[in-house]
Structure formats: C-alpha cells, structure tokens
Amino acid sequence: MEKSLSVLENYMLQFDLITPKCFEEIFFLFNFTNYKCMIPLFLKALGIAIIFGSTLVKLPQVIKIWRSRSSEGLSLMGTLLELLSATACGVYNYASRFPFTSYGEILFLSIQTALVATLILQYSKGTFTSFLFVVSYAALTTFALTLPKHILWYGQTANIPVAVSGKLLQVIANCRNGHTGQLSALTIFLIALGSFARIFTSIRETGDNVVILSYVSATTVNVILAIQVLYYWKSSASKSKKKRKTN
C-alpha cells in the first residue's frame, strides 16, 4: 500500500497536481475537509477531465459532416474565427508557461476545428482549397509559436471579440436558416460545459484576467448556441429526414 502511494505521490508531484503537504493531508491523514488542498486538487482533476473530454468533443460534428457529405448550416467564417481564437489562446498559454492542465484541451479543439474547417472547404470549395488551407494553417501556427509573449498578449486580447464573433456568425446563420443544419448537438453541449468549467480552473491556475475573460465570453456564446440547438431541434431533425428521402 505504501509503495503504491509512493508511486502515486511521485506521479502527482511530477505533474504538479498536488503539493507534498497536501498529499499527506489527503492520502495519509484522510483530511478531506482541508479545502486549501481539496479545491486545488479538484480543479486540477477537472482540468484533466476537460482535456480528456476534448480529445473527442468535435468528433460527432466531424462524423455528421462526413456522413452527410454536406456542410449545410455551418458557417465557414464562423469556424475559421473559432479556429483562430483557439489557436491564439493555445499559443498564448503555451508562451506564458501556464500549467498544461489549464489549457490542454485547446490543442485538441484546434486540431478538430481545423478538421471541421477542412471538411467544410472540401464539400463547398473542393479538394485543392481544403489542402491549401491545411498547409497555410500549419505554417501560420508554426510562425506564431516563435513570437514573443508580449506580442501574443495583444493577440490574446484581440482574441476575445474574434471568438465571440465566430460563434455569433453561427448563431446568425442558425436564425436565418431556421434550423441548425449539420451542427452537432452533442458537440455544442460538450463545448459549452467545458468552457464553463474552464472559467474556474483558469481563475485558480492562471490568474490571467485576459484568459479568464476569454472563457467567460466563450461560455456565453456557447450557451446561446446550445439554446438554439434545443429551440430548432424539431426543424433540424425534419430537414435532415427530408434530405435523406431526397437522396
């Protein structure tokens, strides 16, 4: 038992998940009322859960586009702005050397959002355009990683209206269409939940007001999208059935 706890302690200390004092309080003394230890540990665990959850969060959206061979109802500009926002946020967090548990999901969200954008371009503009996008995005991201932190800070600050604009474009598209098209309900709900949880982990782990504000803004528009998914649920399902019958 002691050997197992020793291995666990080394692992948790290595990844900065807990302090030696808190490990002793929780795992040896079983003092679960020590909130100074329990709250940080809970937020760390929440951050890890968000990261693991994010690895597949947009997979339902990707599958939905791929199966239907259509990007109907999805805003290309909104997706690109969302990708720009996620990438800028990830690069800034990386440059700031914040704990990976405070932003790790952005890496997976960026990859998946880039895949969504690629599929939208594939089914609306063609293979060459989608390939050109992938190459351009990879090059720009690599370049951004070489920029100094103070420049990236301005990018992160500007990132807030960009992130909101990207989501609002999708909101407007949904209103105009009267349905949410190929927008995945599961993806939207998971992203809304994840961004909400990130507000609390960012407060604790980064203390960066710009990062915190970006998550507050993202949560607001994500909740609006989630409400739209519920509001247009029947009309979206009906349109999907009609399209399958036509095909």
Side-chain angles (χ1 to χ4, degrees), residues 81-137:
L81 287 174
E82 182 183 354
L83 178 60
L84 174 62
S85 169
T87 305
C89 187
V91 171
Y92 173 74
N93 276 272
Y94 175 79
S96 300
R97 300 186 181 279
F98 291 141
F100 186 71
T101 52
S102 70
Y103 72 93
E105 79 282 357
I106 295 175
L107 171 63
F108 300 105
L109 284 175
S110 296
I111 294 172
Q112 292 170 79
T113 304
L115 182 55
V116 170
T118 302
L119 287 173
I120 292 175
L121 288 169
Q122 171 70 30
Y123 295 125
S124 62
K125 305 292 183 181
T127 303
F128 178 75
T129 304
S130 62
F131 173 75
L132 190 62
F133 161 74
V134 171
V135 174
S136 300
Y137 174 67

Side-chain angles (χ1 to χ4, degrees), residues 58 61 73-75 78 82 163-175 179-180 183-185 187-189 191-192 218-233:
K58 287 210 169 189
Q61 182 69 79
L74 295 175
S75 168
E82 182 183 354
V164 172
S165 298
K167 295 287 186 179
L168 285 180
L169 284 174
Q170 184 63 62
V171 169
I172 293 170
N174 293 339
C175 289
H179 60 83
T180 55
L183 202 62
S184 168
T187 294
I188 293 299
F189 292 142
I191 290 177
T219 299
T220 302
V221 288
N222 284 332
V223 168
I224 293 174
L225 276 173
I227 292 172
Q228 279 193 319
V229 168
L230 293 174
Y231 182 77
Y232 291 121
W233 189 279

